[in-house]
Amino acid sequence: MYTDQITPRINFTQLLLYERPKAAAWITGNAAHPTLSGLVKFYQTNYGGVLVEAEIFGLPNIDTQGSSNFYAFHIHEFGDCSGDFQKAGGHYNPQGSMHPDHAGDLPPLLGNQGYAWASFYDKRFTINEIIGKSVIIHENRDDFTSQPSGDPGPMIGCGEIRRTL
Ligand SMILES: [Cu+2]
Ligand SMILES: [Zn+2]
């Protein structure tokens, strides 16, 4: 029977509804995108991987009625979101892989007239290893081909990944 099918989604749903994330990153925009904001949460699961949930406001297509655009979304190696975010460094890549096989390469955000919501399961990193790194949003889509980072344009949003209390 349908209701007997136990798959991870039921656990993931409960994590999102009732549990506290183990880590989170508050996203703020750069000088050119001052109203970009959002929160990215990281939950430990019983399956070895991490459940990520992101809710983002004020993406660049906010003023285009009916628009829906992809925005590159990555974990970068340093948690320094000062200035133009250049100090965030490159993609988190402990294995020395090619893009888009970096541990920090995330599914792109789909911005619907400025708003994005996404949740996904990710086994490329542990929560402990990403504390003190950053979540970065780019101005353009990730082409999942160009090296070293998918040619996604400038970094427009940044948040340091912090352990939650
Ligand atoms: Cu990036
Ligand atoms: Zn990458």
Side-chain angles (χ1 to χ4, degrees), residues 1-95:
M1 201 168 89
Y2 175 75
T3 51
D4 289 334
Q5 307 301 314
I6 302 299
T7 62
R9 71 167 292 281
I10 189 70
N11 295 308
F12 295 167
T13 303
Q14 295 198 339
L15 280 176
L16 295 178
L17 279 174
Y18 303 119
E19 302 295 320
R20 294 174 62 83
K22 288 284 185 294
W26 287 99
I27 304 294
T28 54
N30 65 2
H33 299 85
T35 61
L36 176 60
S37 66
L39 182 59
V40 182
K41 301 176 187 175
F42 298 89
Y43 297 85
Q44 189 59 56
T45 75
N46 293 329
Y47 305 96
V50 176
L51 184 67
V52 184
E53 185 194 31
E55 185 171 40
I56 309 294
F57 305 88
L59 288 161
N61 65 348
I62 187 171
D63 294 322
T64 307
Q65 189 76 27
S67 60
S68 188
N69 300 88
F70 286 121
Y71 295 96
F73 194 43
H74 310 124
I75 295 171
H76 284 232
E77 54 189 335
F78 307 117
D80 188 339
C81 294
S82 62
D84 55 4
F85 309 152
Q86 291 299 319
K87 290 178 182 162
H91 296 181
Y92 176 50
N93 183 24
Q95 315 288 348

Side-chain angles (χ1 to χ4, degrees), residues 74 91 98-102 104-105 142 148-149:
H74 310 124
H91 296 181
M98 301 270 283
H99 183 78
D101 293 325
H102 301 140
D105 294 341
D142 185 325
S149 60

Side-chain angles (χ1 to χ4, degrees), residues 136-149:
I136 294 280
I137 299 170
H138 291 263
E139 186 166 277
N140 303 123
R141 69 180 71 191
D142 185 325
D143 68 12
F144 289 106
T145 302
S146 299
Q147 301 301 321
S149 60

